[in-house]
Protein backbone atom coordinates (compact mmCIF):
# COMPACT_ATOMS: atom_id res chain seq x y z
CA UNK A 1 0.00 0.00 0.00
CA UNK A 2 2.97 2.32 0.44
CA UNK A 3 5.98 3.06 -1.71
CA UNK A 4 8.63 4.61 0.48
CA UNK A 5 11.28 6.89 -0.99
CA UNK A 6 13.56 9.57 0.37
CA UNK A 7 11.11 12.31 -0.50
CA UNK A 8 7.59 10.97 -0.26
CA UNK A 9 5.21 8.18 0.66
CA UNK A 10 2.40 7.22 -1.67
CA UNK A 11 -0.99 7.47 -0.02
CA UNK A 12 -3.00 6.30 -2.96
CA UNK A 13 -1.88 3.72 -5.49
CA UNK A 14 -3.17 0.70 -7.35
CA UNK A 15 -2.78 -1.24 -4.11
CA UNK A 16 -4.97 1.19 -2.16
CA UNK A 17 -8.54 2.19 -3.00
CA UNK A 18 -9.93 0.05 -5.82
CA UNK A 19 -13.24 1.28 -7.23
CA UNK A 20 -15.68 -1.51 -7.92
CA UNK A 21 -17.79 0.58 -10.28
CA UNK A 22 -20.83 0.48 -8.01
CA UNK A 23 -21.51 2.56 -4.92
CA UNK A 24 -22.69 0.35 -2.07
CA UNK A 25 -24.35 3.31 -0.36
CA UNK A 26 -25.36 6.93 -0.81
CA UNK A 27 -26.38 9.60 1.66
CA UNK A 28 -29.86 10.64 2.63
CA UNK A 29 -30.72 13.69 4.69
CA UNK A 30 -28.25 15.27 7.12
CA UNK A 31 -29.98 16.59 10.24
CA UNK A 32 -28.51 19.64 11.99
CA UNK A 33 -29.37 21.39 15.25
CA UNK A 34 -29.29 25.16 14.80
CA UNK A 35 -29.88 28.19 17.01
CA UNK A 36 -31.94 30.33 14.63
CA UNK A 37 -34.11 28.45 12.14
CA UNK A 38 -34.99 31.47 9.97
CA UNK A 39 -31.37 32.54 9.65
CA UNK A 40 -30.19 29.02 8.80
CA UNK A 41 -32.94 28.52 6.21
CA UNK A 42 -31.89 31.77 4.56
CA UNK A 43 -28.28 30.55 4.38
CA UNK A 44 -29.15 27.24 2.75
CA UNK A 45 -31.69 28.77 0.39
CA UNK A 46 -30.19 32.11 -0.62
CA UNK A 47 -26.50 31.21 -0.58
CA UNK A 48 -26.24 27.47 -1.25
CA UNK A 49 -29.29 27.22 -3.52
CA UNK A 50 -31.44 24.59 -1.84
CA UNK A 51 -35.24 24.81 -1.88
CA UNK A 52 -37.49 24.74 1.18
CA UNK A 53 -39.51 21.54 0.85
CA UNK A 54 -41.45 21.89 4.10
CA UNK A 55 -41.20 23.92 7.28
CA UNK A 56 -42.73 24.33 10.72
CA UNK A 57 -41.83 26.58 13.62
CA UNK A 58 -39.43 23.92 14.89
CA UNK A 59 -37.82 22.46 11.75
CA UNK A 60 -37.31 22.84 8.01
CA UNK A 61 -36.49 20.40 5.23
CA UNK A 62 -34.39 21.71 2.35
CA UNK A 63 -33.14 20.11 -0.82
CA UNK A 64 -33.94 19.85 -4.49
CA UNK A 65 -37.33 19.57 -6.13
CA UNK A 66 -37.55 15.85 -5.36
CA UNK A 67 -35.06 15.12 -2.54
CA UNK A 68 -34.46 16.37 0.99
CA UNK A 69 -30.74 16.90 1.62
CA UNK A 70 -30.64 18.88 4.88
CA UNK A 71 -33.09 19.03 7.79
CA UNK A 72 -32.71 21.88 10.29
CA UNK A 73 -33.96 21.62 13.87
CA UNK A 74 -34.39 24.76 15.98
CA UNK A 75 -33.14 23.12 19.17
CA UNK A 76 -29.60 24.45 19.74
CA UNK A 77 -28.96 27.09 22.40
CA UNK A 78 -25.33 27.90 21.55
CA UNK A 79 -23.35 28.02 18.27
CA UNK A 80 -21.04 25.28 17.05
CA UNK A 81 -17.99 24.66 19.24
CA UNK A 82 -14.64 23.42 17.99
CA UNK A 83 -12.59 20.81 19.83
CA UNK A 84 -15.29 18.16 20.19
CA UNK A 85 -16.26 15.03 18.32
CA UNK A 86 -19.04 15.67 15.82
CA UNK A 87 -19.41 17.22 12.40
CA UNK A 88 -16.31 18.51 10.63
CA UNK A 89 -18.28 19.39 7.51
CA UNK A 90 -21.01 18.07 5.28
CA UNK A 91 -20.68 18.42 1.53
CA UNK A 92 -23.27 19.25 -1.10
CA UNK A 93 -22.22 17.87 -4.51
CA UNK A 94 -23.62 19.53 -7.65
CA UNK A 95 -23.50 17.18 -10.61
CA UNK A 96 -21.63 19.33 -13.14
CA UNK A 97 -19.33 22.31 -13.66
CA UNK A 98 -22.12 24.77 -14.47
CA UNK A 99 -24.04 24.03 -11.27
CA UNK A 100 -20.83 24.33 -9.22
CA UNK A 101 -19.89 27.60 -10.93
CA UNK A 102 -23.33 29.06 -10.25
CA UNK A 103 -22.95 28.44 -6.51
CA UNK A 104 -19.47 29.98 -6.56
CA UNK A 105 -20.67 33.05 -8.48
CA UNK A 106 -23.62 33.52 -6.14
CA UNK A 107 -21.42 33.39 -3.05
CA UNK A 108 -18.93 35.84 -4.54
CA UNK A 109 -21.68 38.23 -5.63
CA UNK A 110 -23.22 38.15 -2.16
CA UNK A 111 -19.73 38.61 -0.62
CA UNK A 112 -20.12 35.58 1.60
CA UNK A 113 -16.79 34.53 3.20
CA UNK A 114 -15.52 31.43 1.37
CA UNK A 115 -12.36 29.39 0.81
CA UNK A 116 -12.27 28.13 -2.81
CA UNK A 117 -9.96 25.10 -2.83
CA UNK A 118 -8.56 22.69 -5.41
CA UNK A 119 -7.99 19.16 -4.04
CA UNK A 120 -7.34 17.80 -7.56
CA UNK A 121 -9.74 14.91 -6.87
CA UNK A 122 -12.35 17.64 -6.37
CA UNK A 123 -12.96 21.36 -6.56
CA UNK A 124 -14.42 22.73 -3.35
CA UNK A 125 -15.91 25.82 -1.75
CA UNK A 126 -15.71 25.95 2.05
CA UNK A 127 -17.73 28.27 4.25
CA UNK A 128 -19.42 28.36 7.64
CA UNK A 129 -23.16 28.47 8.23
CA UNK A 130 -24.56 31.08 10.66
CA UNK A 131 -23.76 28.81 13.63
CA UNK A 132 -20.18 28.13 12.55
CA UNK A 133 -20.80 24.65 11.11
CA UNK A 134 -18.51 24.14 8.12
CA UNK A 135 -20.27 23.45 4.82
CA UNK A 136 -18.54 22.35 1.62
CA UNK A 137 -19.85 22.50 -1.94
CA UNK A 138 -17.93 19.96 -4.01
CA UNK A 139 -17.47 19.18 -7.69
CA UNK A 140 -16.13 15.64 -8.03
CA UNK A 141 -13.14 15.40 -10.39
CA UNK A 142 -11.46 12.04 -9.53
CA UNK A 143 -10.36 11.65 -13.14
CA UNK A 144 -7.75 14.40 -12.55
CA UNK A 145 -5.97 12.61 -9.67
CA UNK A 146 -3.11 10.19 -10.27
CA UNK A 147 -2.05 9.86 -6.63
CA UNK A 148 -1.62 11.64 -3.31
CA UNK A 149 1.77 11.72 -1.62
CA UNK A 150 3.22 12.76 1.70
CA UNK A 151 6.28 14.96 1.35
CA UNK A 152 8.38 16.98 3.82
CA UNK A 153 6.21 19.96 2.84
CA UNK A 154 3.01 18.11 3.64
CA UNK A 155 0.44 16.32 1.43
CA UNK A 156 0.74 16.90 -2.30
CA UNK A 157 -1.46 15.83 -5.21
CA UNK A 158 -0.12 14.61 -8.53
CA UNK A 159 -2.44 15.24 -11.46
CA UNK A 160 -2.81 12.75 -14.31
CA UNK A 161 -0.91 15.21 -16.53
CA UNK A 162 1.97 15.32 -14.04
CA UNK A 163 1.08 18.62 -12.39
CA UNK A 164 2.08 18.67 -8.73
CA UNK A 165 0.19 20.89 -6.31
CA UNK A 166 -0.65 21.03 -2.62
CA UNK A 167 -3.44 18.62 -1.65
CA UNK A 168 -5.40 21.75 -0.75
CA UNK A 169 -4.38 24.37 -3.30
CA UNK A 170 -6.06 27.62 -4.29
CA UNK A 171 -8.88 27.12 -6.77
CA UNK A 172 -8.66 28.88 -10.14
CA UNK A 173 -11.86 30.85 -9.62
CA UNK A 174 -11.74 32.62 -12.98
CA UNK A 175 -11.50 29.32 -14.84
CA UNK A 176 -14.48 27.91 -12.93
CA UNK A 177 -16.65 30.96 -13.62
CA UNK A 178 -15.93 30.88 -17.37
CA UNK A 179 -18.25 27.88 -17.82
CA UNK A 180 -21.34 29.83 -16.69
CA UNK A 181 -23.71 30.18 -19.68
CA UNK A 182 -25.75 32.97 -18.08
CA UNK A 183 -25.93 35.32 -15.10
CA UNK A 184 -28.96 33.78 -13.43
CA UNK A 185 -27.74 33.40 -9.85
CA UNK A 186 -31.19 32.82 -8.38
CA UNK A 187 -31.70 29.41 -9.97
CA UNK A 188 -31.81 26.68 -7.30
CA UNK A 189 -29.55 23.65 -7.45
CA UNK A 190 -30.59 20.99 -9.94
CA UNK A 191 -32.48 17.86 -8.97
CA UNK A 192 -29.42 15.61 -9.29
CA UNK A 193 -27.57 17.49 -6.54
CA UNK A 194 -26.72 15.24 -3.59
CA UNK A 195 -25.05 15.01 -0.22
CA UNK A 196 -21.78 13.57 -1.50
CA UNK A 197 -19.66 13.10 1.58
CA UNK A 198 -19.57 13.58 5.33
CA UNK A 199 -16.41 14.49 7.23
CA UNK A 200 -16.42 13.85 10.98
CA UNK A 201 -14.38 14.75 14.03
CA UNK A 202 -13.76 11.66 16.15
CA UNK A 203 -12.06 10.80 19.42
CA UNK A 204 -10.31 7.66 18.12
CA UNK A 205 -9.44 7.24 14.44
CA UNK A 206 -8.73 3.51 14.73
CA UNK A 207 -12.12 2.81 16.34
CA UNK A 208 -13.98 5.00 13.83
CA UNK A 209 -12.18 3.32 10.96
CA UNK A 210 -13.19 -0.14 12.19
CA UNK A 211 -16.79 1.00 12.57
CA UNK A 212 -17.19 2.37 9.04
CA UNK A 213 -15.25 -0.51 7.50
CA UNK A 214 -17.70 -2.77 9.31
CA UNK A 215 -20.57 -0.98 7.60
CA UNK A 216 -19.01 -1.91 4.26
CA UNK A 217 -17.03 1.18 3.28
CA UNK A 218 -13.64 0.73 1.60
CA UNK A 219 -10.24 2.15 2.49
CA UNK A 220 -9.10 5.12 0.47
CA UNK A 221 -6.49 6.45 2.91
CA UNK A 222 -5.82 5.12 6.39
CA UNK A 223 -3.25 7.21 8.26
CA UNK A 224 -3.83 6.86 12.00
CA UNK A 225 -0.37 8.29 12.61
CA UNK A 226 -1.71 11.56 11.19
CA UNK A 227 -5.06 11.24 12.92
CA UNK A 228 -7.10 10.61 9.79
CA UNK A 229 -8.86 8.01 7.68
CA UNK A 230 -10.80 8.27 4.45
CA UNK A 231 -13.23 5.71 3.03
CA UNK A 232 -15.08 5.26 -0.24
CA UNK A 233 -18.22 3.41 -1.22
CA UNK A 234 -16.99 1.72 -4.39
CA UNK A 235 -17.32 4.51 -6.95
CA UNK A 236 -14.52 6.47 -8.62
CA UNK A 237 -14.71 9.20 -5.97
CA UNK A 238 -13.15 7.57 -2.92
CA UNK A 239 -13.93 10.31 -0.39
CA UNK A 240 -17.37 9.46 1.03
CA UNK A 241 -16.76 9.22 4.79
CA UNK A 242 -13.71 10.80 6.38
CA UNK A 243 -12.70 10.97 10.03
CA UNK A 244 -10.19 13.22 11.77
CA UNK A 245 -8.86 13.32 15.31
CA UNK A 246 -6.09 15.88 14.97
CA UNK A 247 -7.73 18.23 17.46
CA UNK A 248 -10.32 15.93 19.01
CA UNK A 249 -8.45 12.82 20.12
CA UNK A 250 -10.12 11.57 23.29
CA UNK A 251 -12.69 14.35 23.14
CA UNK A 252 -16.44 13.73 23.65
CA UNK A 253 -19.39 15.20 21.80
CA UNK A 254 -20.09 18.89 22.43
CA UNK A 255 -22.36 19.73 25.38
CA UNK A 256 -26.10 19.29 24.87
CA UNK A 257 -27.69 22.30 23.23
CA UNK A 258 -24.71 23.03 20.97
CA UNK A 259 -25.34 23.56 17.26
CA UNK A 260 -24.06 20.71 15.11
CA UNK A 261 -24.87 17.27 13.80
CA UNK A 262 -28.01 15.53 15.07
CA UNK A 263 -27.56 12.56 12.75
CA UNK A 264 -26.94 11.77 9.10
CA UNK A 265 -28.39 9.09 6.84
CA UNK A 266 -26.67 6.30 4.94
CA UNK A 267 -28.78 4.52 2.30
CA UNK A 268 -27.49 1.10 1.33
CA UNK A 269 -28.16 -0.07 -2.19
CA UNK A 270 -29.93 -3.28 -1.10
CA UNK A 271 -31.75 -4.59 1.98
CA UNK A 272 -29.14 -7.36 2.13
CA UNK A 273 -26.35 -4.78 2.41
CA UNK A 274 -28.24 -3.04 5.22
CA UNK A 275 -28.61 -6.36 7.05
CA UNK A 276 -24.88 -7.02 6.79
CA UNK A 277 -24.09 -3.55 8.12
CA UNK A 278 -26.40 -4.01 11.09
CA UNK A 279 -24.61 -7.25 11.98
CA UNK A 280 -21.41 -5.24 12.48
CA UNK A 281 -22.79 -2.85 15.12
CA UNK A 282 -23.27 -3.58 18.80
CA UNK A 283 -26.73 -2.02 18.99
CA UNK A 284 -29.29 -0.39 16.72
CA UNK A 285 -32.54 1.39 17.53
CA UNK A 286 -35.25 0.69 14.99
CA UNK A 287 -36.99 3.83 13.73
CA UNK A 288 -39.72 4.50 11.21
CA UNK A 289 -37.07 5.47 8.66
CA UNK A 290 -34.45 2.83 9.42
CA UNK A 291 -32.05 1.89 12.21
CA UNK A 292 -30.30 4.50 14.33
CA UNK A 293 -26.73 3.57 15.33
CA UNK A 294 -23.91 5.45 17.00
CA UNK A 295 -20.28 5.41 15.93
CA UNK A 296 -17.49 5.16 18.56
CA UNK A 297 -17.20 8.97 18.73
CA UNK A 298 -20.91 9.42 19.46
CA UNK A 299 -21.95 10.49 15.96
CA UNK A 300 -25.41 9.16 15.15
CA UNK A 301 -26.18 7.52 11.82
CA UNK A 302 -29.53 6.41 10.41
CA UNK A 303 -28.99 3.25 8.34
CA UNK A 304 -31.59 2.44 5.72
CA UNK A 305 -32.09 0.80 2.37
CA UNK A 306 -35.15 2.94 1.70
CA UNK A 307 -35.50 5.46 -1.12
CA UNK A 308 -37.85 7.56 0.98
CA UNK A 309 -37.21 10.96 2.48
CA UNK A 310 -35.31 9.69 5.51
CA UNK A 311 -37.41 11.51 8.06
CA UNK A 312 -36.29 9.14 10.80
CA UNK A 313 -36.28 10.21 14.44
CA UNK A 314 -37.05 13.83 15.23
Amino acid sequence: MTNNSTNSTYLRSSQAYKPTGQEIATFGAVHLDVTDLHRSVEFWQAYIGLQVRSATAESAELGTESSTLVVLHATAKTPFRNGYSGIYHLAIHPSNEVEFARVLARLITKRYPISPTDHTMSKAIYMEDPDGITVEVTLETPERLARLELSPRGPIAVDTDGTVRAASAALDVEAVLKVLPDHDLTRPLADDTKVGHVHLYVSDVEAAHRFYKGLGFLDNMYLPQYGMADLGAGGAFGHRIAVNAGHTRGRPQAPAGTAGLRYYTIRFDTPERLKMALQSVSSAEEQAGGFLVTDPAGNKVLLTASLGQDRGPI
Side-chain angles (χ1 to χ4, degrees):
M1 184 171 178
T2 59
N3 180 14
N4 295 319
S5 68
T6 57
N7 295 320
S8 64
T9 301
Y10 289 113
L11 298 181
R12 183 174 182 179
S13 68
S14 59
Q15 285 74 45
Y17 180 69
K18 294 183 178 180
T20 63
Q22 179 182 359
E23 301 264 355
I24 65 163
T26 56
F27 294 102
V30 176
H31 290 243
L32 300 174
D33 293 312
V34 300
T35 59
D36 186 320
L37 186 61
H38 176 78
R39 186 178 61 172
S40 292
V41 167
E42 181 182 14
F43 165 79
W44 284 101
Q45 186 175 29
Y47 293 95
I48 302 300
L50 299 187
Q51 303 175 51
V52 177
R53 293 175 49 79
S54 67
T56 68
E58 293 79 29
S59 66
E61 296 186 13
L62 298 102
T64 65
E65 185 175 344
S66 64
S67 299
T68 296
L69 304 184
V70 177
V71 182
L72 306 173
H73 301 271
T75 51
K77 304 301 180 185
T78 59
F80 179 80
R81 296 175 63 177
N82 287 306
Y84 292 93
S85 293
I87 190 73
Y88 185 170
H89 56 258
L90 69 136
I92 303 297
H93 289 215
S95 63
N96 58 61
E97 293 180 336
V98 172
E99 290 289 302
F100 178 77
R102 199 182 307 279
V103 176
L104 179 60
R106 180 164 53 239
L107 290 164
I108 292 173
T109 300
K110 291 179 176 289
R111 299 181 180 275
Y112 201 88
I114 58 174
S115 296
T117 304
D118 191 342
H119 295 302
T120 303
M121 70 172 182
S122 65
K123 299 177 181 180
I125 312 164
Y126 293 93
M127 72 215 80
E128 291 184 353
D129 82 346
D131 281 307
I133 302 168
T134 300
V135 175
E136 179 182 346
V137 177
T138 303
L139 178 66
E140 299 180 17
T141 59
E143 69 280 357
R144 296 196 297 151
L145 181 66
R147 64 184 181 271
L148 287 174
E149 301 179 3
L150 277 182
S151 76
R153 303 184 305 256
I156 58 175
V158 182
D159 203 330
T160 50
D161 66 5
T163 301
V164 178
R165 60 173 67 87
S168 295
L171 182 65
D172 187 340
V173 170
E174 290 187 7
V176 171
L177 296 179
K178 282 181 180 178
V179 307
L180 271 177
D182 55 54
H183 297 287
D184 182 4
L185 303 183
T186 63
R187 187 180 304 176
L189 281 163
D191 209 32
D192 51 5
T193 303
K194 63 185 181 183
V195 175
H197 73 270
V198 175
H199 205 144
L200 303 167
Y201 284 126
V202 298
S203 54
D204 183 327
V205 166
E206 292 89 341
H209 176 257
R210 286 194 299 271
F211 178 85
Y212 288 106
K213 283 269 288 185
L215 295 186
F217 289 86
L218 310 174
D219 277 329
N220 184 16
M221 293 183 291
Y222 180 47
L223 297 168
Q225 66 272 35
Y226 294 101
M228 63 172 292
D230 192 21
L231 301 101
F237 189 72
H239 180 62
R240 293 303 181 198
I241 294 178
V243 295
N244 278 72
H247 303 290
T248 57
R249 187 179 300 277
R251 297 286 291 163
Q253 292 280 308
T258 304
L261 179 68
R262 176 175 283 207
Y263 70 92
Y264 70 98
T265 309
I266 293 175
R267 292 176 178 161
F268 290 98
D269 57 347
T270 65
E272 291 73 22
R273 193 98 63 184
L274 170 62
K275 183 178 180 180
M276 290 175 60
L278 289 171
Q279 291 173 349
S280 75
V281 301
S282 58
S283 64
E285 180 184 347
E286 188 168 3
Q287 305 281 339
F291 297 85
L292 192 67
V293 302
T294 305
D295 78 8
N299 300 305
K300 295 186 182 300
V301 192
L302 185 70
L303 304 181
T304 180
S306 168
L307 295 180
Q309 290 304 314
D310 308 315
R311 293 180 182 275
I314 298 297

